[in-house]
Amino acid sequence: MTLLHVKAFVFDVFGTVVDWRGGVAREATPFLRRYGATHARPDAFADAWRSRYVPAMRKVISGERPFVRLDVLHRENLLDVLPEFGIDPNAVPAEALDELNLAWHRLDPWPDSIAGLQRLKTRHIIAPLSNGNIRLMVDMAKRAGLPWDAILGAEIAQIYKPDPRAYLRTAEVLMLTPQEVCLVAAHNDDLAAARNCGLRTAFIARPYERGLGQTVDLKAESDWDVVAGDMNELADAVGA
Amino acid sequence: MTLLHVKAFVFDVFGTVVDWRGGVAREATPFLRRYGATHARPDAFADAWRSRYVPAMRKVISGERPFVRLDVLHRENLLDVLPEFGIDPNAVPAEALDELNLAWHRLDPWPDSIAGLQRLKTRHIIAPLSNGNIRLMVDMAKRAGLPWDAILGAEIAQIYKPDPRAYLRTAEVLMLTPQEVCLVAAHNDDLAAARNCGLRTAFIARPYERGLGQTVDLKAESDWDVVAGDMNELADAVGA
């Protein structure tokens, strides 16, 4: 079994462990109503906000701008997306924008996440390897009860996934070889980048991450070390 | 109450949360016997090893050498201390030295630590602000059941306490002002450095950290924001 020597499971979080789309839509609903976007669909707003995520990180990865934490990128992207929904960002108090930006700190886990993480934690180190910043991950974990052993990821590495440094620095901080670390993710491209760095890979299917009409990442697109339907199936597969 | 606005408690760990002297002595006992130091006192060995800690970190703080994690300094200090106990480091297999070096990963909490941390955790972020590296803190927490929300400290800041950057970077990563962070420590000098950076301060008395003959840090030497006899008294003082 390929995962026999794995000592740590590190996790993509947005989409893999928690439901970002449902959580952001929930938090955006009263905001959109209050600021006049009464006919906007909150899930479409979540999608539009999220769609700015990869391009914003790309500017950091390319070196076009220095590393800033994800909360900063989310806040900039929020200003960018509001006009698309007929809202003038200058007409919204800064405090209301800050508050909505915290939606990403208040996402709910998928129903199987906590039970699976608890099982995996008994004999392995578990930590996020997320692009989310440390405080975001801490707030999310405390609210939702995610039992992380440490908060790792982009802010520790000072670079975003899928840059190889994000994966390699995480293994290094854990004092493990890349082969002793397994990335768990619902996204084939994240797993491909991790595998290129030597990490083990576990795919978890999250076919509703992007709603009922999801067309990407519906299934494993490579021979990842484990392919599981949810976090409990992953725990089963590694004997946890 | 001065701690009303505190959102995170960060902790010195060696001596404040765990008993380093007892733990290192316990782990050193079979080692000393095996390698011929049959008459050595394990607690004296722990003291001698620990006495190299501050001078080794000072070389990093001064810039004389780049940051290396504490496991590296402990390993170097171990080679340095062995001849004092009549052991030639070259006569000991590297694996045995590595194993003894992990003693610092296997320290036991003081009897009140876990209960107090659990109480403080309910309404505050709790994290180590230790000079110990991330993996050391993770191993210790998993073995002992320390319920940290995140692992912060020297390795995140890439500098050791009492350098101001260690305290300030910890607050910054938590997205808090220094005044919203309280350092909990059994050492007056650590608290003084934290206060100089604007952090709140809580002293916990650990009069047996250095054994029965302890002469330093027996009591609070300044008007720290809280002075407590143990972690539960601290929880009482902040209404946790």
Side-chain angles (χ1 to χ4, degrees):
Chain A
M1 150 74 154
T2 334
L3 298 190
L4 198 63
H5 300 290
V6 164
K7 296 194 168 58
F9 287 98
V10 295
F11 295 77
D12 175 65
V13 172
F14 299 117
T16 302
V17 178
V18 301
D19 170 19
W20 60 264
R21 191 172 189 261
V24 171
R26 179 194 69 223
E27 300 264 334
T29 301
F31 178 94
L32 292 169
R33 202 168 298 149
R34 178 160 194 174
Y35 294 100
T38 36
H39 299 294
R41 279 181 45 209
D43 51 2
F45 179 79
D47 288 339
W49 194 357
R50 177 75 172 182
S51 73
R52 271 110 174 136
Y53 171 80
V54 168
M57 289 188 303
R58 218 172 263 151
K59 289 186 187 172
V60 174
I61 293 174
S62 69
E64 191 180 321
R65 65 184 291 188
F67 181 82
V68 291
R69 58 173 68 103
L70 190 59
D71 276 336
V72 174
L73 299 180
H74 276 153
R75 185 69 159 69
E76 294 173 0
N77 294 344
L78 177 57
L79 296 183
D80 192 53
V81 78
L82 287 174
E84 208 171 279
F85 289 78
I87 297 174
D88 174 7
N90 299 310
V92 182
E95 298 72 30
L97 296 170
D98 291 341
E99 185 60 26
L100 182 55
N101 207 44
L102 291 176
W104 299 92
H105 296 222
R106 302 188 193 115
L107 306 177
D108 290 326
W110 299 110
D112 51 280
S113 291
I114 291 176
L117 289 175
Q118 289 285 13
R119 290 172 62 191
L120 291 166
K121 183 185 166 101
T122 56
R123 287 190 291 155
H124 295 86
I125 296 170
I126 61 165
L129 196 186
S130 168
N131 281 332
N133 43 288
I134 292 173
R135 176 64 188 273
L136 188 165
M137 287 290 135
V138 167
D139 286 348
M140 179 194 284
K142 283 184 87 76
R143 178 181 173 279
L146 300 169
W148 303 125
D149 289 313
I151 306 291
L152 305 178
E155 194 171 5
I156 305 277
Q158 294 282 296
I159 195 72
Y160 287 107
K161 296 188 293 182
D163 188 289
R165 290 170 286 178
Y167 307 93
L168 293 172
R169 177 72 179 141
T170 298
E172 206 250 323
V173 157
L174 289 170
M175 298 172 67
L176 297 174
T177 65
Q179 294 74 25
E180 292 173 317
V181 179
C182 179
L183 178 72
V184 182
H187 309 128
N188 287 282
D189 55 356
D190 197 1
L191 294 171
R195 174 179 277 180
N196 280 340
C197 293
L199 278 73
R200 301 302 180 196
T201 50
F203 178 84
I204 300 223
R206 296 298 189 195
Y208 306 116
E209 176 190 352
R210 293 162 187 278
L212 293 171
Q214 181 165 328
T215 56
V216 297
D217 290 321
L218 292 172
K219 58 183 179 57
E221 288 160 17
S222 186
D223 57 338
W224 310 123
D225 297 307
V226 176
V227 173
D230 66 20
M231 211 69 87
N232 279 310
E233 274 190 35
L234 171 61
D236 291 343
V238 302
Chain B
M1 151 73 151
T2 334
L3 298 190
L4 197 62
H5 300 290
V6 164
K7 296 196 168 57
F9 287 98
V10 295
F11 295 77
D12 174 65
V13 172
F14 299 117
T16 301
V17 177
V18 301
D19 171 18
W20 60 264
R21 192 172 188 261
V24 171
R26 179 195 69 223
E27 300 264 334
T29 301
F31 178 93
L32 293 168
R33 201 168 299 148
R34 179 160 193 174
Y35 294 101
T38 36
H39 299 294
R41 279 181 44 208
D43 52 2
F45 180 80
D47 289 339
W49 195 359
R50 177 74 172 181
S51 73
R52 270 106 174 140
Y53 171 80
V54 169
M57 289 188 303
R58 216 172 263 150
K59 289 187 186 170
V60 175
I61 293 175
S62 70
E64 191 180 322
R65 66 184 291 187
F67 181 83
V68 291
R69 58 173 68 103
L70 189 60
D71 275 336
V72 173
L73 299 180
H74 276 153
R75 186 66 159 70
E76 294 173 359
N77 294 343
L78 176 58
L79 296 184
D80 192 53
V81 78
L82 287 175
E84 208 172 278
F85 289 78
I87 298 174
D88 174 7
N90 298 310
V92 182
E95 298 72 30
L97 296 170
D98 292 341
E99 185 60 26
L100 182 56
N101 207 43
L102 291 176
W104 299 92
H105 296 222
R106 301 187 193 116
L107 305 177
D108 290 327
W110 299 109
D112 51 281
S113 291
I114 291 175
L117 289 175
Q118 289 286 12
R119 290 172 61 193
L120 291 165
K121 183 185 166 101
T122 56
R123 286 190 293 155
H124 295 86
I125 296 170
I126 61 165
L129 197 186
S130 169
N131 281 331
N133 42 289
I134 292 173
R135 176 64 188 273
L136 188 165
M137 288 290 135
V138 167
D139 286 348
M140 179 194 285
K142 282 183 87 77
R143 178 181 172 280
L146 300 169
W148 303 125
D149 289 313
I151 306 291
L152 305 177
E155 194 172 4
I156 306 278
Q158 295 282 296
I159 195 72
Y160 286 108
K161 296 186 295 181
D163 188 289
R165 289 169 286 178
Y167 307 94
L168 294 172
R169 177 72 179 141
T170 298
E172 207 250 322
V173 157
L174 288 170
M175 298 173 67
L176 297 174
T177 65
Q179 294 75 27
E180 292 173 317
V181 179
C182 179
L183 178 71
V184 182
H187 308 127
N188 287 283
D189 56 356
D190 197 1
L191 294 171
R195 175 179 276 180
N196 280 340
C197 293
L199 278 74
R200 301 302 179 195
T201 50
F203 178 85
I204 300 222
R206 295 298 189 196
Y208 306 115
E209 176 189 352
R210 293 162 188 278
L212 293 170
Q214 181 164 328
T215 57
V216 298
D217 290 320
L218 292 172
K219 57 183 180 56
E221 287 160 17
S222 186
D223 57 337
W224 309 124
D225 297 308
V226 176
V227 173
D230 66 21
M231 211 68 88
N232 279 310
E233 274 190 36
L234 171 61
D236 291 342
V238 302

